[in-house]
Amino acid sequence: YPMAVVGSRGQMVYNSSVHPDAELLGQWPWPQHHRWMKSEGWQAFRVPLKKQSQCTGFVLFFNPQPFLSPVEESLYLQAAELLAFHMNVNYEDYFELSVQRDFGLLIKRHLKNGLPLASLDEYADRFEIDLLRRPFRCVLTDYPTHPLSTVRAEKLDGLKSAYLGHARVQDMKGVHLVLEEGLLSVFPDVSGDAADAVVTSLSACFSGLKGAPPRAAVSSRKRDSPGLSGAFNECLDTMRLAAAWDVSERVVRYETLDLAYVFEQVSPERMRTFCDRLLGGLLNKDPEYAADMLRTLETYVECDGQLGETAKKLFIHRNTATYRIEKLGEMLDVDFKKVNDLLRLKLAFHFRRLLHGGAFDSERIR
């Protein structure tokens, strides 16, 4: 007898009957128990496909007989069990990847071709994809220095496969698609440390790649789908600024460069004047001494004024870090307990990185 197999989300997987898919699915969704379905010109015995207690689809056995004997019904139920087993083993993963691929293409059409956000949300609702219904972050990964576009495209495809196959990146349950600008990934961000998890996982993945590693730009946290375009643009800005400043990190977060983005149009002369006025008391010291103290101060600012973290990053004793910070406060006439003074120092180091191409060099401190 003919039969039809329907997936858990109402998609037709297989149909050997002469009846159109839309006609068979007209009354979807269905209750999760076996029963007859009857319509003009056909009838089918419908059985749910179960994985433990979860319904993963249905099978329809088309049979013109007015009723089934207990033996026949038992055979259909056994056939449904076999189908459920093979569906769960072979089809489930394929369908999940297929849905993610199609969803990724819709994201691409939204970002590049103006597909209405409502169409993207409608597809997500139909297939129960809540990725953009809750907080998320975008990541743009690229090989920006590679001269050949064809080789770059191949490397991006390989990078996508690496993301899909890397256990730690897999655990973040993201969607990945290749664009002209690079490999765009969308990761859920439901916890406070999700951004750190993204950086750690991507860095671990990069360490296993052959050749020069790519660069990844991570957007800020967005609440829902209307923030998708903004997140993508943040990735582009972060990638551009990281390249302009010659930032050494391979995974760069937008939050670390957002002040630089705001003050990007400030002239070099004003940046230099600001830095000289704020750091002049230190820059006039012995170059080697000034370099050590500047490194300490910059690390202290990056650690939000946490002495323990500063000492840990500099591989020095906490008492040494405390002494240096006290000396710097006297030398520069700043109060590290005041938010305004810390903000001014943060701006000064942003300006210095922009003026000097990002890398710290003791020969450049003047």
Side-chain angles (χ1 to χ4, degrees):
Y1 294 110
M3 70 176 187
V5 180
V6 180
S8 61
R9 295 178 175 89
Q11 73 282 7
M12 186 63 70
V13 178
Y14 175 79
N15 182 7
S16 65
S17 75
V18 297
H19 310 293
D21 295 353
E23 182 180 341
L24 300 180
L25 297 171
Q27 297 181 358
W28 178 267
W30 301 323
Q32 297 180 14
H33 53 78
H34 61 270
R35 59 169 295 176
W36 280 98
M37 292 178 63
K38 296 186 178 182
S39 182
E40 185 177 353
W42 62 271
Q43 65 177 23
F45 186 59
R46 187 182 71 224
V47 184
L49 304 174
K50 293 293 188 73
K51 178 182 181 181
Q52 298 176 346
S53 61
Q54 181 182 4
C55 180
T56 60
F58 293 85
V59 57
L60 280 61
F61 299 105
F62 295 88
N63 192 322
Q65 300 178 27
F67 63 90
L68 297 175
S69 69
V71 174
E72 290 173 318
E73 182 173 317
S74 175
L75 288 172
Y76 280 137
L77 294 177
Q78 290 179 44
E81 289 182 9
L82 290 170
L83 281 169
F85 173 79
H86 288 287
M87 282 271 290
N88 293 330
V89 171
N90 298 320
Y91 179 75
E92 205 170 53
D93 291 341
Y94 168 78
F95 177 71
E96 197 69 30
L97 289 174
S98 177
V99 168
Q100 288 199 7
R101 183 180 64 248
D102 292 344
F103 187 57
L105 289 175
L106 289 178
I107 291 177
K108 180 177 181 179
R109 290 177 59 193
H110 169 67
L111 295 174
K112 308 299 291 184
N113 304 113
L115 178 75
L117 193 60
S119 300
L120 187 61
D121 290 337
E122 180 184 352
Y123 183 89
D125 291 341
R126 187 192 319 162
F127 291 101
E128 301 175 4
I129 303 173
D130 63 351
L131 180 60
L132 299 180
R133 294 296 192 187
R134 53 181 178 165
F136 66 91
R137 289 178 187 264
C138 284
V139 175
L140 184 66
T141 315
D142 194 16
Y143 292 90
T145 59
H146 209 287
L148 298 177
S149 59
T150 54
V151 176
R152 174 174 169 267
E154 292 175 359
K155 291 177 74 68
L156 288 175
D157 286 335
L159 184 63
K160 179 179 178 180
S161 299
Y163 278 6
L164 292 172
H166 193 275
R168 297 183 67 170
V169 180
Q170 276 185 349
D171 288 343
M172 293 190 293
K173 302 185 184 304
V175 171
H176 314 281
L177 59 148
V178 176
L179 304 176
E180 294 177 2
E181 295 82 357
L183 176 64
L184 179 67
S185 305
V186 184
F187 295 109
D189 187 346
V190 295
S191 62
D193 59 351
D196 293 334
V198 169
V199 174
T200 302
S201 299
L202 295 185
S203 298
C205 182
F206 290 173
S207 66
L209 298 176
K210 296 180 179 179
R215 167 167 282 161
V218 185
S219 77
S220 63
R221 188 174 190 256
K222 303 301 179 184
R223 295 182 59 185
D224 46 29
S225 56
L228 181 60
S229 294
F232 177 59
N233 288 328
E234 286 180 2
C235 290
L236 292 175
D237 286 331
T238 303
M239 193 74 78
R240 176 177 56 81
L241 289 170
W245 292 11
D246 193 24
V247 174
S248 59
E249 290 83 359
R250 305 313 300 177
V251 184
V252 186
R253 292 175 53 184
Y254 176 77
E255 288 94 339
T256 65
L257 298 180
D258 54 355
L259 281 178
Y261 177 74
V262 171
F263 292 99
E264 188 179 16
Q265 301 305 320
V266 177
S267 68
E269 291 75 15
R270 290 192 175 185
M271 291 185 191
R272 195 171 289 108
T273 300
F274 183 88
C275 293
D276 289 344
R277 184 173 68 248
L278 189 63
L279 302 175
L282 177 59
L283 298 178
N284 294 325
K285 303 292 182 180
D286 176 75
E288 186 175 348
Y289 173 79
D292 286 340
M293 295 297 275
L294 274 175
R295 189 175 292 107
T296 300
L297 180 58
E298 184 172 11
T299 305
Y300 181 75
V301 172
E302 289 177 351
C303 293
D304 298 320
Q306 301 295 319
L307 278 169
E309 283 297 312
T310 302
K312 183 178 179 181
K313 285 193 174 184
L314 293 173
F315 302 101
I316 59 176
H317 194 277
R318 181 187 173 93
N319 291 344
T320 303
T322 302
Y323 171 77
R324 290 184 182 180
I325 293 302
E326 289 176 353
K327 291 294 293 181
L328 284 165
E330 298 173 2
M331 205 178 302
L332 302 178
D333 192 24
V334 296
D335 186 347
F336 293 109
K337 295 180 180 179
K338 292 183 178 180
V339 175
N340 284 346
D341 284 1
L342 284 174
L343 178 59
R344 289 164 60 220
L345 288 169
K346 190 176 184 69
L347 285 176
F349 284 112
H350 272 302
F351 290 162
R352 283 176 57 79
R353 281 193 291 270
L354 186 58
L355 288 169
H356 300 316
F360 184 85
D361 188 338
S362 61
E363 295 179 3
R364 294 175 174 176
I365 61 173
R366 296 185 184 276

